[in-house]
Amino acid sequence: MDKITDKVAALPADAEYFSLEFFPPKTQMGFSNLRVRLQRMERALRPLFVNVTWGAGGSTAQKSIELAELCQRELGLTTCLHLTCTNMSQAMIDQALEDARALGIRNILALRGDPPRAEYRDADEPTGSEEFTWAIDLVKYIRKKYGSYFCIGVAAYPEGHGDGSHPEGQSFEHDLPYLVDKVQAGADFIMTQLFFDIKAYEKFETTLRNHPSGAFKTIPILPGLMPIQSYAMIKRTAKLSHAEMPEEIMTRLNAVKGDDEKVKMVGVDILSELIEQIREIKSRTPGPKGFHFYTLNLEKSISFILERTKLIPDVPEDEEAIVDEPVPVAATGQRSIPRISVNGNVPPRQSRSHSRTARRQSSVGSDPHNRVIVGRAATHPEWEATSTEAGVPAESINTRANTLAISEGEGALGREATWDDFPNGRFGDARSPAYGEIDGYGVSIHMSVTQAVSLWGHPKTASDINDIFVRHIRGEISAIPWSEEDLLPESFIIKSSLEAMNKKGWWTVASQPAVNGLPSNHATFGWGPASGFVFQKSFVEFFIPSADWKILYDKLTSEENEELVCFYASNANGDFVSSDTTGGTGRATVNASTNAVTWGVFPGKEIVTPTIIEEVSFRAWSEEAFDIWAEWAKVYGRGSDSEKLLNEIGQDRWLVNIIHHDYVDTDALWRLLTN
Ligand SMILES: Cc1cc2nc3c(=O)[nH]c(=O)nc-3n(C[C@H](O)[C@H](O)[C@H](O)COP(=O)(O)OP(=O)(O)OC[C@H]3O[C@@H](n4cnc5c(N)ncnc54)[C@H](O)[C@@H]3O)c2cc1C
Ligand SMILES: NC(=O)c1ccc[n+]([C@@H]2O[C@H](COP(=O)([O-])OP(=O)(O)OC[C@H]3O[C@@H](n4cnc5c(N)ncnc54)[C@H](O)[C@@H]3O)[C@@H](O)[C@H]2O)c1
């Protein structure tokens, strides 16, 4: 029984169940580490099913299928594959559905993805192919082609969908008729966008359940919930998802915002309370009650929340003795999809008890406040073993392990689970399964054509692009395709240097100024626990024309500078060069460098290094950074001047990241680059 609706129907009427969403990790090490994490989570948390995300436009197609294969076939988890339908060819959709079927996957979350860039879809399509403009087109297509083989889910938005699809603005009322259509076209269940505003959710579920069409009377509706992993992350994600953060929640988060560990703990409280409130709303409709969690590939917060709210189902006595026989899969990177029959030869799993009255009692309690051991060195068995497996020399891992402080604690997952303190952002820990993603939906400029054009116009020359970057530095436009937000206040002190770089066509996408020992409660630079001191090395990441890069490279590798800077650079063809690989200037080639560029010293703790720049994370990010040129180009019509310009520019640039080691001379990097 692998269709979600069959599994839900088999549950007792008072049962609760939940699903966990994962995205394909960005690095090989992340994938290996996710495998171990998934095994742990599946055994300890027992989700009814798991979701695997799909990069908009098919950007993660192969990796998503690989992860779905791991979940469904190796771990035997009921898996729901997300699939988008815009900005990709019908052949890709067909391939994904065939792959899913071959793997024994019976559930698809049918999504639109990014707003369609219409002219791109038609280009490589044979005439007579399907039109995919909205998610409903995919729902209909799957039903037409596969009948009832797949159980189909669709997305819904308690606070309205917010990408500018509706000229009237964003609201649930605008979306409602289209949601009715999606369900009437054959959707079997609904999963919602993340939200924190319980009133909005109450209105959403009540309106659906009482809708005169009767379309939503009994359909499973799974509210989407995102554990709060860090203050900056949740604010960014809520903004991207157009989810309102109620004042009461913000007040609680603001009170602890400088201290990541406290933010996570308050986050567990907030989510647990939200679940209680949802329970009250759901109690008005008979039948099992489901919850969906956006895990962002992280494990600790979610396990505390599930334990606290007693959502983890009990293990029925007759299942205690069952040993799951994993189905072998190919190693990561060597994709092999066994062509098995439609019904698959995957051993059926025993049904599990999801009754509210038969919940597992935690052996360790459920209060994270008592169980977080702060600041232990991250000699984490999971990281070490699997990172070595992923090809990283043990020696370099140990160096990292000694400097990285990951808070460990127990809980449903046991001592092996980790918080992954700083996985996100481009300069987080590339070994973490969660590294480098904010939603798991792949490369995207996260906006409609109309919004993109209103921000960036129709650039026709490189100097138009200089203007866009300069205006972002000045705060005159709120985003560039590589950075969806205004600059942080910390960038203000290097604004004139950044402006000077962008004016000469060195387009900056990220940076930080040097800091030499400011108090951890400093208004602009402070972070971490009280009474500490924080430090930063200056760095800047930017696109530079090939011709300029040749000159700058010589400068960086000159005798005068080579000991003072580290750099990483790559282009759209994947050529890579770094200060580790230069040789030639007297310095022997050394092991891959690891640059802690932000660190903090706190009473009673080892040094904490939240931001690290190294080759593996730079390479993973730079591939995406170049894809973003192509994403931006798609905003404009095929063959248009802007499209041509952006595609050409993407080809002629290098992306360079330069770190200056002299953090005491806070102006050193900027003198080097602007003189
Ligand atoms: C649970 C969940 C999981 C997700 N997973 C992924 C993922 O893995 N990968 C990814 O890239 N994205 C994912 N997304 C994001 C999703 O792709 C985007 O939100 C996308 O912009 C809309 O997708 P949809 O399926 O809701 O689209 P649709 O149902 O097509 O709706 C999009 C908007 O268009 C409107 N609309 C629909 N039909 C019409 C019509 N005929 N005429 C006019 N307006 C219409 C709707 O009201 C809505 O405002 C997910 C979202 C959710 C909630
Ligand atoms: N695709 C990915 O893998 C990925 C991963 C992480 C972040 N991002 C995106 O990249 C952006 C940066 O994320 P982050 O977490 O690494 O860093 P961040 O947003 O914390 O920014 C890092 C620093 O760069 C500065 N900065 C921002 N824009 C700049 C610009 N145009 N020029 C110079 N400096 C600038 C900021 O003020 C800040 O000091 C975000 O928009 C994020 O969504 C993408």
Side-chain angles (χ1 to χ4, degrees):
M1 184 167 38
D2 254 326
K3 282 169 93 170
I4 291 165
T5 38
D6 290 346
K7 293 188 83 166
V8 172
L11 295 173
D14 69 341
E16 291 180 333
Y17 63 94
F18 65 90
S19 57
L20 300 178
E21 177 173 311
F22 299 93
F23 62 79
K26 290 222 182 303
T27 61
Q28 286 280 319
M29 287 185 286
F31 197 98
S32 301
N33 286 322
L34 183 60
R35 166 180 280 138
V36 182
R37 180 169 290 183
L38 273 165
Q39 274 165 344
R40 191 161 53 229
M41 290 175 87
E42 139 2 64
R43 274 164 214 273
L45 306 180
R46 308 171 64 79
L48 190 75
F49 64 100
V50 295
N51 292 63
V52 173
T53 64
W54 180 265
S59 59
T60 65
Q62 186 174 333
K63 286 180 172 174
S64 293
I65 295 289
E66 235 174 68
L67 180 58
E69 179 175 14
L70 167 66
C71 293
Q72 179 79 37
R73 288 189 53 77
E74 185 176 350
L75 301 177
L77 287 159
T78 296
T79 301
C80 175
L81 178 68
H82 293 197
L83 183 59
T84 61
C85 61
T86 50
N87 309 315
M88 54 195 249
S89 65
Q90 186 184 329
M92 208 171 200
I93 294 172
D94 288 339
Q95 184 65 52
L97 291 168
E98 277 308 299
D99 285 351
R101 184 158 74 157
L103 291 171
I105 290 171
R106 305 291 305 269
N107 310 286
I108 303 286
L109 189 69
L111 299 149
R112 182 192 68 180
D114 283 345
R117 323 290 189 216
E119 296 183 45
Y120 273 80
R121 257 206 55 74
D122 296 334
D124 47 4
E125 290 296 306
T127 37
S129 59
E130 301 280 334
E131 275 295 322
F132 295 99
T133 310
W134 312 104
I136 190 174
D137 302 325
L138 183 57
V139 176
K140 287 181 179 163
Y141 182 69
I142 298 173
R143 280 282 170 258
K144 188 173 81 180
K145 205 161 168 213
Y146 291 91
S148 59
Y149 177 75
F150 285 114
C151 171
I152 302 176
V154 288
Y157 306 82
E159 296 170 77
H161 185 271
D163 71 355
S165 305
H166 291 290
E168 306 91 335
Q170 166 191 359
S171 86
F172 163 54
E173 284 73 20
H174 287 306
D175 292 346
L176 187 54
Y178 303 115
L179 187 57
V180 175
D181 290 349
K182 280 201 284 195
V183 171
Q184 290 179 338
D188 298 305
F189 65 95
I190 292 171
M191 296 189 120
T192 83
Q193 178 65 286
L194 67 98
F195 63 89
F196 291 93
D197 182 352
I198 190 67
K199 290 207 176 79
Y201 184 75
E202 181 169 26
K203 183 175 155 206
F204 167 81
E205 177 147 352
T206 313
T207 309
L208 293 193
R209 294 295 186 209
N210 299 324
H211 195 267
S213 67
F216 307 102
K217 235 180 160 72
T218 54
I219 191 168
I221 301 174
L222 284 86
L225 299 166
M226 182 175 279
I228 298 173
Q229 311 286 358
S230 89
Y231 184 82
M233 242 170 92
I234 201 66
K235 280 196 76 174
R236 181 178 280 177
T237 314
K239 186 177 158 203
L240 261 183
S241 316
H242 305 275
E244 197 57 38
M245 293 296 274
E247 213 180 303
E248 183 264 332
I249 290 184
M250 278 322 294
T251 308
R252 288 163 77 182
L253 290 173
N254 281 332
V256 291
K257 73 177 191 185
D259 189 331
D260 283 348
E261 281 152 20
K262 287 193 181 143
V263 169
K264 284 177 186 138
M265 292 170 193
V266 171
V268 171
D269 294 344
I270 291 171
L271 265 287
S272 304
E273 288 160 28
L274 202 53
I275 289 168
E276 286 306 331
Q277 292 166 322
I278 295 170
R279 277 184 166 139
E280 152 58 24
I281 296 163
K282 287 202 163 284
S283 68
R284 299 169 204 160
T285 311
K289 287 125 185 71
F291 298 84
H292 175 64
F293 292 95
Y294 296 94
T295 68
L296 290 176
N297 291 0
L298 296 167
E299 60 184 332
K300 277 292 239 193
S301 290
I302 179 68
S303 84
F304 282 130
I305 293 163
L306 292 171
E307 275 200 87
R308 172 88 70 84
T309 54
K310 301 191 167 38
L311 270 169
I312 303 174
D314 202 10
V315 186
E317 268 169 33
D318 60 352
E319 203 192 317
E320 298 278 13
I322 293 174
V323 178
D324 296 327
E325 281 299 329
V327 179
V329 293
T332 310
Q334 296 165 6
R335 180 170 158 229
S336 89
I337 296 178
R339 298 291 150 184
I340 52 174
S341 71
V342 166
N343 290 326
N345 52 10
V346 183
R349 280 177 85 80
Q350 306 292 315
S351 70
R352 287 163 166 182
S353 167
H354 283 258
S355 164
R356 270 197 85 170
T357 52
R359 290 192 205 112
R360 168 195 296 208
Q361 290 302 304
S362 162
S363 56
V364 289
S366 60
D367 183 356
H369 301 246
N370 298 330
R371 279 178 283 124
V372 179
I373 302 163
V374 175
R376 293 189 38 181
T379 45
H380 196 275
E382 173 194 342
W383 296 139
E384 289 185 355
T386 52
S387 297
T388 307
E389 174 193 313
V392 173
E395 179 190 323
S396 79
I397 295 155
N398 288 336
T399 311
R400 282 290 298 277
N402 288 334
T403 52
L404 244 181
I406 291 179
S407 312
E408 291 181 62
E410 291 181 35
L413 299 171
R415 293 192 63 78
E416 299 218 325
T418 164
W419 283 103
D420 298 29
D421 277 337
F422 312 106
N424 292 84
R426 276 168 281 171
F427 312 113
D429 185 350
R431 297 167 302 169
S432 165
Y435 164 72
E437 266 286 359
I438 44 173
D439 57 13
Y441 304 160
V443 176
S444 168
I445 55 168
H446 291 117
M447 59 183 82
S448 67
V449 170
T450 322
Q451 286 167 321
V453 169
S454 79
L455 267 178
W456 308 313
H458 290 85
K460 300 226 164 26
T461 62
S463 133
D464 292 345
I465 310 233
N466 291 1
D467 283 350
I468 292 170
F469 277 81
V470 168
R471 285 169 60 216
H472 182 240
I473 300 294
R474 288 184 184 153
E476 293 167 9
I477 48 174
S478 60
I480 50 171
W482 295 266
S483 183
E484 294 117 358
E485 308 224 304
D486 292 321
L487 261 58
L488 300 181
E490 69 165 358
S491 304
F492 294 175
I493 57 171
I494 51 170
K495 236 174 167 176
S496 59
S497 304
L498 294 174
E499 209 176 308
M501 288 179 71
N502 283 294
K503 273 188 182 151
K504 63 177 173 180
W506 296 9
W507 300 321
T508 62
V509 294
S511 63
Q512 75 176 27
V515 169
N516 183 14
L518 288 173
S520 61
N521 64 356
H522 187 276
T524 305
F525 293 100
W527 56 275
S531 306
F533 289 90
V534 298
F535 300 80
Q536 291 185 180
K537 285 183 185 175
S538 54
F539 78 81
V540 63
E541 185 169 277
F542 54 104
F543 289 102
I544 180 171
S546 304
D548 289 2
W549 171 232
K550 281 199 187 106
I551 299 164
L552 181 59
Y553 175 87
D554 288 343
K555 196 169 174 183
L556 296 176
T557 52
S558 68
E559 216 171 306
E560 184 192 353
N561 292 317
E562 67 165 358
E563 298 296 338
L564 288 172
V565 294
C566 269
F567 65 87
Y568 305 91
S570 76
N571 64 12
N573 298 327
D575 300 325
F576 174 80
V577 57
S578 78
S579 41
D580 301 331
T581 58
T582 50
T585 53
R587 184 161 48 161
T589 303
V590 290
N591 281 340
S593 56
T594 291
N595 295 282
V597 292
T598 304
W599 66 101
V601 182
F602 305 98
K605 288 180 194 239
E606 293 187 15
I607 289 171
V608 181
T609 55
T611 317
I612 290 166
I613 302 180
E614 55 189 344
E615 181 178 331
V616 61
S617 46
F618 176 81
R619 278 180 183 264
W621 157 249
S622 71
E623 229 175 82
E624 285 198 12
F626 280 102
D627 287 348
I628 291 175
W629 282 106
E631 280 299 301
W632 186 9
K634 284 182 194 164
V635 163
Y636 305 100
R638 184 169 284 277
S640 66
D641 291 346
S642 298
E643 188 235 22
K644 276 194 238 155
L645 173 76
L646 294 173
N647 280 330
E648 279 164 21
I649 275 181
Q651 288 301 317
D652 177 55
R653 280 340 193 237
W654 282 73
L655 180 71
V656 184
N657 190 311
I658 306 176
I659 302 125
H660 204 290
H661 302 308
D662 188 350
Y663 60 90
V664 179
D665 179 359
T666 50
D667 205 32
L669 176 63
W670 315 108
R671 278 198 313 274
L672 178 74
L673 294 173
T674 53
N675 287 339

